[in-house]
Amino acid sequence: MEIAVIGTGYVGLVTGVCLAELGNNVTCIDIDEEKVATLKQGISPIYENGLTELLQKNIEKGNLHFTTDYQEGLTGKSMVYIAVGTPQGEDGSADLTYINAACKSIAANLARDVVIVIKSTVPVGTNEYIKDKIESNLANNVTVKIASNPEFLRQGSAVYDTFNADRIVIGSDDPDALQALENVNADFNLPIVKTDLRSAEMIKYASNAFLATKISFINEMANLSEKIGANIDHVAKGMGMDERIGNAFLNAGIGYGGSCFPKDTRAIISIGKDAAYDMPILENVVDSNDRQRGVLVDKLLERFETIKGKKVAVLGLAFKPNTDDMREAPSILVTEKLLAEGAIVNAYDPVATDNAKKILPEQINYASSVEEAIEDADIAIILTEWKDIKTFPLEDYKKHMTNAVIFDGRNCFELEDLVGSGVEYHSIGRPTVRQ
């Protein structure tokens, strides 16, 4: 099928590349000339496992193209995906600025009947708004049908998730549009959930809000477990074996971050307010997560009378491993607090350093390895569970640090491995190991 994808951000680029991999002829449209020029060379602007390989493969095969020209990108296309960003507004609602700009450009350049597929995460009712927006500004006499196809990709494994998803959700109030979208997705050989427009939009928000709730819940159980002498690892295992609960998203830590959970939980609260319906559970999920990001620094300040002048190694800056995304990363709050207390901060991340430098305070020193970051450090703080951080030998902390004290926000190590290691170890929801 001839397909256009508008937006080459995280969702748009992965969508375009994977649709091309299925054999479709895909043109990705973006107004960022520098980004498009880079993509034409087969260079991905984002770090995502397996993406660069598929990008280059499909450019070489002639299935994948990039342009800044809407007329060029839309010519001959029977399906157009909108995958532009919907950033969080000041009131928590989704900002539709990029959606509106895309609608205007589509309407001005459409020359044939198309199905418009909304891949962006948008408030319930936005698909109908988009249809009206485009139809009211059409430059040519064409028919526009609208369908929703929300994404459920995990950053760091988005390409894998695209081809191995639990389900594909498609929604439309037009049977022909629904069938056309089902035909495109049939080649993924995955379960397809067909529904109406508003339900498809709601499924996306409800799914992310539930997962965020599960994370905040287990973190609160972890904080309580510490106070009463329980071990959250054992608690989570016992809970997760109940198939009604499941063990996914029951890993205690310093909270969720990234582009989805924080934005989508606040957005659905905003949707509720617009519908005159309060959502106290989700409001408390957001508050709980905000508090959880600072819990590691609170532990550190309880342990040390002062950290002024102390060298602190911060290990992991991205909000999760296998991505360079710094959006809503706990490292932002943690490094700001450490610097405010007078600490000297050395930071390490295997992928996200360049993005971190744009966001984190300029006083931070950056290392090229775990070993370099912890050299002569008084304290090490683990914020992201990268493989090279999880597998870094415990004995090397004692070897390189002035004082081998670790505050682990991701519970990377088994407590029994700490016994006799010479490392003092503080984690989330588990007993402290003192030598």
Side-chain angles (χ1 to χ4, degrees):
M1 181 172 282
E2 296 286 330
I3 297 173
V5 178
I6 299 173
T8 58
Y10 175 76
V11 174
L13 185 57
V14 172
T15 298
V17 169
C18 291
L19 287 172
E21 176 68 10
L22 292 181
N24 298 291
N25 188 42
V26 179
T27 300
C28 295
I29 305 169
D30 200 295
I31 60 173
D32 187 329
E33 293 183 1
E34 184 177 348
K35 182 189 287 189
V36 168
T38 300
L39 286 165
K40 284 181 175 180
Q41 298 174 48
I43 302 171
S44 173
I46 59 173
Y47 180 86
E48 186 62 45
N49 190 33
L51 182 60
T52 296
E53 292 81 358
L54 289 186
L55 172 68
Q56 295 172 351
K57 172 185 174 183
N58 284 283
I59 290 175
E60 291 174 5
K61 288 172 63 177
N63 290 349
L64 185 60
H65 319 273
F66 298 92
T67 183
T68 58
D69 188 325
Y70 267 84
Q71 185 175 24
E72 175 190 343
L74 296 177
T75 297
K77 301 301 189 289
S78 57
M79 185 168 286
V80 178
Y81 283 76
I82 296 178
V84 298
T86 53
Q88 180 180 294
E90 291 184 4
D91 62 352
S93 63
D95 184 343
L96 301 182
T97 299
Y98 300 120
I99 290 284
N100 287 325
C103 289
K104 183 178 179 180
S105 297
I106 291 170
N109 291 280
L110 274 183
R112 60 163 294 173
D113 297 348
V114 295
V115 175
I116 305 289
V117 182
I118 314 305
K119 199 75 176 174
S120 303
T121 301
V122 293
V124 177
T126 305
N127 278 263
E128 295 147 290
Y129 166 82
I130 289 172
K131 186 174 190 297
D132 291 340
K133 188 83 171 175
I134 293 174
E135 287 182 335
S136 63
N137 290 282
L138 284 171
N140 299 301
N141 185 23
V142 297
T143 300
V144 173
K145 298 178 185 291
I146 295 288
S148 175
N149 179 210
E151 55 85 16
F152 300 93
L153 306 177
R154 297 171 299 169
Q155 286 181 256
S157 57
V159 173
Y160 175 86
D161 287 350
T162 300
F163 293 103
N164 299 274
D166 297 317
R167 80 297 198 196
I168 295 172
V169 175
I170 59 175
S172 183
D173 298 334
D174 185 300
D176 293 336
L178 197 63
Q179 185 61 57
L181 189 52
E182 183 177 11
N183 292 343
V184 169
N185 284 283
D187 289 337
F188 286 110
N189 294 313
L190 297 168
I192 295 177
V193 177
K194 295 187 288 186
T195 184
D196 59 274
L197 277 176
R198 292 198 168 210
S199 295
E201 292 168 323
M202 186 63 176
I203 288 169
K204 166 67 175 181
Y205 280 114
S207 297
N208 278 355
F210 181 80
L211 294 175
T213 301
K214 201 171 181 182
I215 292 169
S216 285
F217 178 86
I218 199 63
N219 285 337
E220 291 202 348
M221 293 303 102
N223 296 339
L224 179 59
S225 293
E226 274 192 45
K227 293 183 178 298
I228 62 176
N231 185 326
I232 194 59
D233 287 349
H234 301 165
V235 174
K237 182 178 180 180
M239 289 173 59
M241 292 176 72
D242 186 330
E243 63 181 16
R244 296 170 301 175
I245 298 173
N247 57 19
F249 289 84
L250 286 185
N251 299 314
I254 50 173
Y256 56 77
S259 63
C260 291
F261 289 175
K263 177 170 72 76
D264 291 353
T265 48
R266 294 186 180 105
I268 198 169
I269 291 169
S270 178
I271 292 169
K273 288 179 179 177
D274 289 342
Y277 184 76
D278 292 332
M279 307 188 77
I281 290 178
L282 292 184
E283 289 174 355
N284 282 307
V285 165
V286 172
D287 290 342
S288 176
N289 192 67
D290 288 344
R291 293 194 305 271
Q292 194 69 14
R293 290 176 184 175
V295 72
L296 214 57
V297 179
D298 294 340
K299 286 172 174 285
L300 189 153
L301 294 175
E302 286 181 14
R303 166 65 178 80
F304 294 93
E305 184 175 338
T306 178
I307 58 171
K308 186 175 182 179
K310 290 187 179 294
K311 290 185 178 180
V312 180
V314 175
L315 306 179
L317 300 172
F319 87 93
K320 63 177 289 189
N322 302 317
T323 180
D324 59 354
D325 199 337
M326 286 292 298
R327 285 175 289 185
E328 301 272 357
S331 61
I332 299 171
L333 175 66
V334 169
T335 55
E336 288 175 350
K337 283 194 167 188
L338 291 174
L339 291 169
E341 293 290 334
I344 300 166
V345 178
N346 295 328
Y348 165 72
D349 191 286
V351 170
T353 298
D354 287 343
N355 286 342
K357 288 178 179 179
K358 302 172 187 175
I359 297 173
L360 300 185
E362 61 181 13
Q363 302 98 307
I364 294 174
N365 307 305
Y366 292 91
S368 59
S369 66
V370 175
E371 186 175 282
E372 182 184 344
I374 66 172
E375 190 68 41
D376 296 327
D378 300 292
I379 303 161
I381 296 181
I382 298 174
L383 300 183
T384 315
E385 63 274 33
W386 285 98
K387 183 178 179 181
D388 64 340
I389 294 173
K390 291 175 66 175
T391 58
F392 191 78
L394 286 167
E395 58 267 25
D396 283 2
Y397 283 97
K398 185 173 176 57
K399 176 181 176 182
H400 290 280
M401 296 178 68
T402 301
N403 298 294
V405 182
I406 298 175
F407 289 82
D408 185 357
R410 300 300 181 186
N411 291 2
C412 293
F413 298 108
E414 299 295 333
L415 295 183
E416 51 265 32
D417 293 338
L418 273 297
V419 178
S421 67
V423 174
E424 180 181 325
Y425 184 73
H426 304 257
S427 54
I428 306 295
R430 306 187 297 178
T432 296
V433 178
R434 301 182 187 275
Q435 304 301 328

